Amino acid sequence: MAAPARVLVVDDSPTMRGLITAVLSQDPDVSVIGQAGDAMEARAAIKQLNPDVVTLDIEMPNMNGLEFLEKIMKLRPMPVIMVSTMTHRGAEATLAALEIGAFDCVAKPQPGEPRPFGELAEKVKAAARSQHRHQSAPQVQPLATAPAADFRVGRKIVAIGSSTGGVEALIAVLQKFPRNCPPTVITQHMPPTFTKSFAERLNRLCAPVVEEATDGARLEIGKIYLAPGGERHLQVANASAPCCRLVERAPVNGHRPSVDVLFDSVAELAGRNAVGVILTGMGRDGASGLLKMRHAGARTIGQNEKTCVVYGMPRVAYELGAVEHQLPLTSIGEEILKLTAARKEGIE
């Protein structure tokens, strides 16, 4: 039996430290070994206790969470889960933290929330098991020029699903896309309000237009649509003029939006005229939907184990037979373009 994941909780609020500790202590496979109220206390605790995982508040006195995270990743890389407010400022800071190398993020609970920090224990355990726990994330570089200027797009739709580790993974994939990329729809597991900031961040970093999906938005060449977090699932609909649909429905696989819901709709709408991609993430969301896509004739890609932050969703998809090609992250963008380019004898 594996030893419990040893966690250091860092937050300037004693109330929040107590709540996080109480939530994590309910899981027998997690052990909170210490608390710290600021970066100085946290640095001493890390040296003394050598935790497996750190939960880190974004906003702290003296040195904020981002500055401290950068020091951790340079001097003593380890899995860090960021704890953020649901504000626009909190979302921007969290996305920066994920690019620096944070393992994942959780949102601070709203008043009256029934299950505060509901997924935190699972994320802590996944972080403790992570094969990337001693590696810092590569720094994201702004895109200087549009890649693949001679790319001729065909008629395929691209659907991508991701979760833990997906911020860095999606940036790596989408920065390979040219300005005239195929219409692309994405479901990334992310707290509400964070997806708008993430879409804006991707739009600054990538050649195509990236936007948060809206109900009824037409799928167009050169546009990428990111599912909004929270209340609805993203689907595609209308075979004669494909568009985004945001549908109210219970969570699927514990998620809303769900990758399976997106992939199921793409399988039904586009069939062989689609490419499905499943990237790093916890759990199994998207695996069965990707299998439906492959059965419908779509080409399918899964991120390989070595380059995943968490080889969960891609592993299940691969084991189900949903993945046609399993590739390292650095090759996935190019492969998508190969599969969606217009053929020499005519547009697909």
Side-chain angles (χ1 to χ4, degrees), residues 246-258:
L246 298 179
V247 296
E248 294 184 1
R249 182 177 162 190
V252 175
N253 300 318
H255 298 284
R256 186 170 55 200
S258 161

Side-chain angles (χ1 to χ4, degrees), residues 16-189:
M16 194 59 63
R17 292 198 302 271
L19 177 58
I20 293 171
T21 298
V23 169
L24 292 177
S25 297
Q26 294 175 14
D27 192 311
D29 294 322
V30 178
S31 174
V32 177
I33 59 171
Q35 298 182 12
D38 59 27
M40 296 298 290
E41 291 181 10
R43 184 174 66 176
I46 288 172
K47 289 181 178 180
Q48 178 184 356
L49 301 173
N50 191 28
D52 299 318
V53 183
V54 172
T55 71
L56 180 60
D57 185 18
I58 288 279
E59 297 181 5
M60 296 189 301
N62 303 322
M63 181 186 296
N64 67 38
L66 278 181
E67 293 172 324
F68 187 52
L69 176 67
E70 286 186 307
K71 292 185 180 298
I72 291 175
M73 290 303 161
K74 287 178 182 177
L75 303 175
R76 195 166 181 163
M78 63 176 59
V80 177
I81 297 176
M82 306 305 295
V83 180
S84 173
T85 61
M86 297 283 281
T87 63
H88 180 77
R89 178 180 172 185
E92 289 284 346
T94 300
L95 292 170
L98 292 169
E99 291 175 18
I100 291 169
F103 178 82
D104 209 336
C105 66
V106 294
K108 289 188 175 181
Q110 302 297 298
E113 192 169 322
R115 290 184 65 244
F117 297 117
E119 293 185 338
L120 180 56
E122 290 303 317
K123 290 185 177 185
V124 163
K125 290 186 286 188
R129 296 190 300 265
S130 171
Q131 61 184 319
H132 287 234
R133 56 177 310 197
H134 299 302
Q135 299 179 19
S136 58
Q139 294 298 299
V140 175
Q141 299 297 326
L143 189 64
T145 57
D150 59 347
F151 177 74
R152 294 179 61 228
V153 67
R155 293 176 180 165
K156 284 186 167 62
I157 294 171
V158 177
I160 304 175
S162 52
S163 185
T164 302
V167 168
E168 307 98 302
L170 285 168
I171 291 171
V173 170
L174 299 180
Q175 282 198 320
K176 301 290 180 69
F177 279 24
R179 198 174 301 277
N180 62 331
C181 73
T184 301
V185 284
I186 300 171
T187 289
Q188 156 73 33
H189 297 157

Side-chain angles (χ1 to χ4, degrees), residues 308-327:
C308 280
V309 172
V310 179
Y311 187 56
M313 289 159 48
R315 176 185 62 79
V316 178
Y318 181 77
E319 291 175 351
L320 285 178
V323 175
E324 180 184 7
H325 299 294
Q326 193 170 56
L327 299 171

Side-chain angles (χ1 to χ4, degrees), residues 187-263:
T187 289
Q188 156 73 33
H189 297 157
M190 190 171 277
T193 74
F194 284 34
T195 46
K196 180 175 176 56
S197 293
F198 186 35
E200 292 170 352
R201 176 70 171 148
L202 288 172
N203 191 52
R204 292 193 296 269
L205 290 170
C206 303
V209 173
V210 185
E211 59 190 30
E212 195 176 38
T214 56
D215 191 54
R218 289 277 299 268
L219 298 191
E220 298 177 6
I221 290 171
K223 285 194 173 182
I224 298 168
Y225 308 83
L226 180 70
E231 300 302 320
R232 294 182 289 178
H233 297 281
L234 174 62
Q235 295 180 326
V236 294
N238 193 354
S240 60
C243 64
C244 297
R245 283 283 178 248
L246 298 179
V247 296
E248 294 184 1
R249 182 177 162 190
V252 175
N253 300 318
H255 298 284
R256 186 170 55 200
S258 161
V259 181
D260 268 331
V261 172
L262 175 62
F263 284 177

